[in-house]
Amino acid sequence: MQKPVPFFRGLLAHRREMRNSSAGAASIETSNNIFNEVLCQAMADLNMLMTETPQGRYPYAGIPWYSTTFGRDGLITALQMLWVDPRIAKGVLKRLALFQAKAVDPLADAAPGKILHEMRGGEMAALREVPFAQYYGSVDSTPLFVLLAGLYLERTGDVETLRELWPAVEAGLQWID
């Protein structure tokens, strides 16, 4: 068991972590102090929903029931935040490419090229009592994935990441066709 950290040391560590997580993101400041506070709170709220995954940062929907990967939600968040912090888009694209459907599975509504709609862990998902271990029942996640990949490249010029994602983009386009 880890020893508790004194309050002020924990507070400083938290502030340092928040500062590091927002490094590289665009900052916005207006002449309206109240609007500036609203923007700061919005960024803090979004940062609370961000989860570090092996593929990069991913915006989870919320605790406790939605602390998981949702395809469409992650894609729309990444699209909306692309101009502020393209690292979110990179994490979302890489994670969804990793879990892209490779085979037909009627229970999970999966077909080769489809992008994940929802992912769940736990006993019921492992026993397939619910179809959400990896569920692909979204018609819009795949086109949003392709759209985000193009916009990410346009925003960042990160050709290397797009090359890595290209097989997933092509598979998504084949599913769309």
Side-chain angles (χ1 to χ4, degrees), residues 74-152:
L75 288 160
I76 290 172
T77 301
L79 281 164
Q80 291 175 338
M81 295 299 296
L82 185 58
W83 68 277
V84 175
D85 191 352
R87 295 173 302 175
I88 297 169
K90 185 176 184 177
V92 167
L93 288 165
K94 285 183 157 195
R95 184 157 180 82
L96 293 177
L98 178 69
F99 292 105
Q100 187 176 36
K102 307 284 189 267
V104 173
D105 179 352
L107 181 63
D109 201 8
K114 278 185 94 173
I115 293 297
L116 189 72
H117 169 68
E118 179 179 348
M119 184 175 180
R120 294 287 181 161
E123 185 178 327
M124 291 181 72
L127 295 173
R128 293 185 66 118
E129 291 179 10
V130 294
F132 305 123
Q134 289 180 4
Y135 181 63
Y136 296 86
S138 169
V139 71
D140 55 355
S141 291
T142 306
L144 287 168
F145 176 85
V146 172
L147 173 68
L148 180 60
L151 292 174
Y152 172 79

Side-chain angles (χ1 to χ4, degrees), residues 9-57:
R9 191 177 314 153
L11 180 63
L12 288 173
H14 171 73
R15 287 191 174 163
R16 196 174 308 114
E17 183 180 323
M18 288 293 102
R19 197 170 35 254
N20 289 340
S21 72
S22 63
S27 61
I28 304 162
E29 188 173 336
T30 72
S31 60
N32 185 313
N33 289 335
I34 294 173
F35 188 66
N36 290 340
E37 289 300 317
V38 169
L39 291 173
C40 285
Q41 185 62 55
M43 286 303 294
D45 291 348
L46 183 61
N47 274 324
M48 286 188 60
L49 295 173
M50 297 304 286
T51 300
E52 289 296 332
T53 72
Q55 299 76 39
R57 293 173 50 137

